[in-house]
Amino acid sequence: LRLCAWYLYGEKHRGYALNPVANFHLQNGSVLWRINWMGDTSPRGIGASCGMMVNYRYFLEETASNSALYLGSKQVRASEQVLALVSQFQQNSKL
């Protein structure tokens, strides 16, 4: 979960999210909301993402400002759950 959170939140290509699905949702103003362990247990889900599933949440009154923040400053809005996982990854990672 920590590695997945870092991948979605911290891994970048030219300053934007490396994952194309994350990049799509973040450009549209979503918040990286929750990472679900074994959220997709289909054979495709296991093969593509080790069964993890991500929820992006759209707060309609914040989508324009979130999108502008991401596109302008390349900052990802994320929930406390995701930020805690990112912090744990950074503390424990040797990368």
Side-chain angles (χ1 to χ4, degrees):
L1 287 172
R2 293 185 301 253
L3 181 60
C4 181
W6 176 252
Y7 169 67
L8 295 170
Y9 181 85
E11 290 297 323
K12 307 289 186 188
H13 175 69
R14 297 185 179 163
Y16 297 107
L18 183 63
N19 181 275
V21 174
N23 191 50
F24 170 82
H25 286 288
L26 295 168
Q27 284 183 32
N28 287 309
S30 73
V31 176
L32 180 54
W33 192 250
R34 184 174 50 217
I35 300 172
N36 304 290
W37 174 252
M38 300 307 283
D40 185 355
T41 58
S42 70
R44 185 171 186 263
I46 296 294
S49 63
C50 298
M52 290 190 218
M53 184 178 282
V54 180
N55 296 116
Y56 296 91
R57 188 164 180 189
Y58 288 85
F59 294 96
L60 295 181
E61 64 281 353
E62 298 174 10
T63 55
S65 61
N66 289 348
S67 178
L69 183 68
Y70 181 68
L71 293 171
S73 303
K74 300 173 178 152
Q75 294 180 33
V76 174
R77 290 277 325 270
S79 69
E80 290 298 319
Q81 184 238 18
V82 172
L83 292 175
L85 289 168
V86 167
S87 177
Q88 291 169 17
F89 173 82
Q90 289 174 320
Q91 290 172 3
N92 297 314
S93 175
K94 294 185 180 5
L95 294 180

